[in-house]
mmCIF file of all heavy atoms in Angstrom:
data_model
loop_
_atom_site.group_PDB
_atom_site.id
_atom_site.type_symbol
_atom_site.label_atom_id
_atom_site.label_comp_id
_atom_site.label_asym_id
_atom_site.label_seq_id
_atom_site.Cartn_x
_atom_site.Cartn_y
_atom_site.Cartn_z
ATOM 1 N N PRO A 102 -99.144 -122.577 165.503
ATOM 2 C CA PRO A 102 -99.488 -123.528 164.458
ATOM 3 C C PRO A 102 -99.511 -124.975 164.918
ATOM 4 O O PRO A 102 -100.349 -125.764 164.490
ATOM 5 C CB PRO A 102 -98.361 -123.310 163.415
ATOM 6 C CG PRO A 102 -97.951 -121.863 163.613
ATOM 7 C CD PRO A 102 -98.067 -121.671 165.129
ATOM 8 N N ASP A 103 -98.612 -125.310 165.825
ATOM 9 C CA ASP A 103 -98.604 -126.679 166.396
ATOM 10 C C ASP A 103 -99.904 -126.955 167.164
ATOM 11 O O ASP A 103 -100.495 -128.038 167.043
ATOM 12 C CB ASP A 103 -97.402 -126.904 167.290
ATOM 13 C CG ASP A 103 -97.340 -128.323 167.823
ATOM 14 O OD1 ASP A 103 -97.374 -129.285 167.009
ATOM 15 O OD2 ASP A 103 -97.258 -128.491 169.053
ATOM 16 N N ASP A 104 -100.312 -126.000 168.009
ATOM 17 C CA ASP A 104 -101.593 -126.159 168.749
ATOM 18 C C ASP A 104 -102.728 -126.340 167.776
ATOM 19 O O ASP A 104 -103.639 -127.160 167.994
ATOM 20 C CB ASP A 104 -101.871 -124.929 169.613
ATOM 21 C CG ASP A 104 -100.936 -124.786 170.803
ATOM 22 O OD1 ASP A 104 -100.355 -125.796 171.217
ATOM 23 O OD2 ASP A 104 -100.803 -123.640 171.298
ATOM 24 N N ARG A 105 -102.726 -125.621 166.711
ATOM 25 C CA ARG A 105 -103.826 -125.667 165.721
ATOM 26 C C ARG A 105 -103.791 -126.943 164.918
ATOM 27 O O ARG A 105 -104.812 -127.363 164.352
ATOM 28 C CB ARG A 105 -103.808 -124.415 164.858
ATOM 29 C CG ARG A 105 -104.210 -123.216 165.718
ATOM 30 C CD ARG A 105 -103.945 -121.904 165.144
ATOM 31 N NE ARG A 105 -104.671 -121.653 163.920
ATOM 32 C CZ ARG A 105 -104.506 -120.591 163.160
ATOM 33 N NH1 ARG A 105 -103.626 -119.664 163.508
ATOM 34 N NH2 ARG A 105 -105.226 -120.422 162.089
ATOM 35 N N ARG A 106 -102.619 -127.571 164.807
ATOM 36 C CA ARG A 106 -102.536 -128.869 164.154
ATOM 37 C C ARG A 106 -103.078 -129.959 165.062
ATOM 38 O O ARG A 106 -103.693 -130.912 164.647
ATOM 39 C CB ARG A 106 -101.124 -129.195 163.741
ATOM 40 C CG ARG A 106 -100.692 -128.585 162.431
ATOM 41 C CD ARG A 106 -99.376 -129.124 161.928
ATOM 42 N NE ARG A 106 -98.250 -128.662 162.752
ATOM 43 C CZ ARG A 106 -97.624 -127.496 162.667
ATOM 44 N NH1 ARG A 106 -98.006 -126.656 161.722
ATOM 45 N NH2 ARG A 106 -96.631 -127.206 163.440
ATOM 46 N N ARG A 107 -102.781 -129.833 166.356
ATOM 47 C CA ARG A 107 -103.222 -130.859 167.365
ATOM 48 C C ARG A 107 -104.723 -130.825 167.574
ATOM 49 O O ARG A 107 -105.345 -131.867 167.725
ATOM 50 C CB ARG A 107 -102.503 -130.588 168.693
ATOM 51 C CG ARG A 107 -101.026 -130.890 168.635
ATOM 52 C CD ARG A 107 -100.265 -130.422 169.865
ATOM 53 N NE ARG A 107 -100.818 -130.888 171.112
ATOM 54 C CZ ARG A 107 -100.583 -130.304 172.299
ATOM 55 N NH1 ARG A 107 -99.764 -129.267 172.353
ATOM 56 N NH2 ARG A 107 -101.115 -130.806 173.384
ATOM 57 N N VAL A 108 -105.293 -129.598 167.606
ATOM 58 C CA VAL A 108 -106.755 -129.457 167.857
ATOM 59 C C VAL A 108 -107.288 -128.430 166.885
ATOM 60 O O VAL A 108 -106.705 -127.376 166.736
ATOM 61 C CB VAL A 108 -107.005 -128.979 169.341
ATOM 62 C CG1 VAL A 108 -108.444 -128.675 169.533
ATOM 63 C CG2 VAL A 108 -106.522 -130.000 170.314
ATOM 64 N N ARG A 109 -108.377 -128.744 166.258
ATOM 65 C CA ARG A 109 -108.972 -127.816 165.313
ATOM 66 C C ARG A 109 -109.508 -126.596 166.042
ATOM 67 O O ARG A 109 -110.213 -126.714 167.043
ATOM 68 C CB ARG A 109 -110.095 -128.492 164.534
ATOM 69 C CG ARG A 109 -110.663 -127.649 163.435
ATOM 70 C CD ARG A 109 -111.565 -128.431 162.529
ATOM 71 N NE ARG A 109 -112.011 -127.537 161.476
ATOM 72 C CZ ARG A 109 -112.869 -127.945 160.595
ATOM 73 N NH1 ARG A 109 -113.325 -129.159 160.537
ATOM 74 N NH2 ARG A 109 -113.265 -127.073 159.655
ATOM 75 N N HIS A 110 -109.156 -125.395 165.535
ATOM 76 C CA HIS A 110 -109.593 -124.137 166.100
ATOM 77 C C HIS A 110 -110.490 -123.406 165.097
ATOM 78 O O HIS A 110 -110.283 -123.469 163.891
ATOM 79 C CB HIS A 110 -108.412 -123.232 166.423
ATOM 80 C CG HIS A 110 -107.644 -123.633 167.632
ATOM 81 N ND1 HIS A 110 -106.898 -124.767 167.708
ATOM 82 C CD2 HIS A 110 -107.541 -122.989 168.832
ATOM 83 C CE1 HIS A 110 -106.340 -124.830 168.911
ATOM 84 N NE2 HIS A 110 -106.713 -123.774 169.602
ATOM 85 N N HIS A 111 -111.482 -122.694 165.615
ATOM 86 C CA HIS A 111 -112.436 -121.928 164.808
ATOM 87 C C HIS A 111 -112.336 -120.470 165.207
ATOM 88 O O HIS A 111 -112.040 -120.149 166.344
ATOM 89 C CB HIS A 111 -113.844 -122.465 165.029
ATOM 90 C CG HIS A 111 -114.023 -123.879 164.675
ATOM 91 N ND1 HIS A 111 -114.514 -124.311 163.433
ATOM 92 C CD2 HIS A 111 -113.740 -125.022 165.409
ATOM 93 C CE1 HIS A 111 -114.546 -125.640 163.445
ATOM 94 N NE2 HIS A 111 -114.093 -126.091 164.598
ATOM 95 N N LEU A 112 -112.600 -119.567 164.253
ATOM 96 C CA LEU A 112 -112.619 -118.127 164.452
ATOM 97 C C LEU A 112 -111.208 -117.602 164.841
ATOM 98 O O LEU A 112 -111.066 -116.712 165.632
ATOM 99 C CB LEU A 112 -113.661 -117.708 165.490
ATOM 100 C CG LEU A 112 -115.103 -118.019 165.088
ATOM 101 C CD1 LEU A 112 -116.073 -117.551 166.182
ATOM 102 C CD2 LEU A 112 -115.473 -117.452 163.757
ATOM 103 N N VAL A 113 -110.195 -118.149 164.213
ATOM 104 C CA VAL A 113 -108.799 -117.681 164.354
ATOM 105 C C VAL A 113 -108.308 -117.404 162.954
ATOM 106 O O VAL A 113 -108.479 -118.230 162.045
ATOM 107 C CB VAL A 113 -107.925 -118.752 165.051
ATOM 108 C CG1 VAL A 113 -106.458 -118.313 165.081
ATOM 109 C CG2 VAL A 113 -108.409 -119.043 166.458
#
Side-chain angles (χ1 to χ4, degrees):
D103 182 54
D104 290 337
R105 291 166 63 186
R106 278 190 291 277
R107 291 170 52 200
V108 174
R109 187 169 181 183
H110 284 70
H111 302 263
L112 300 180
V113 175

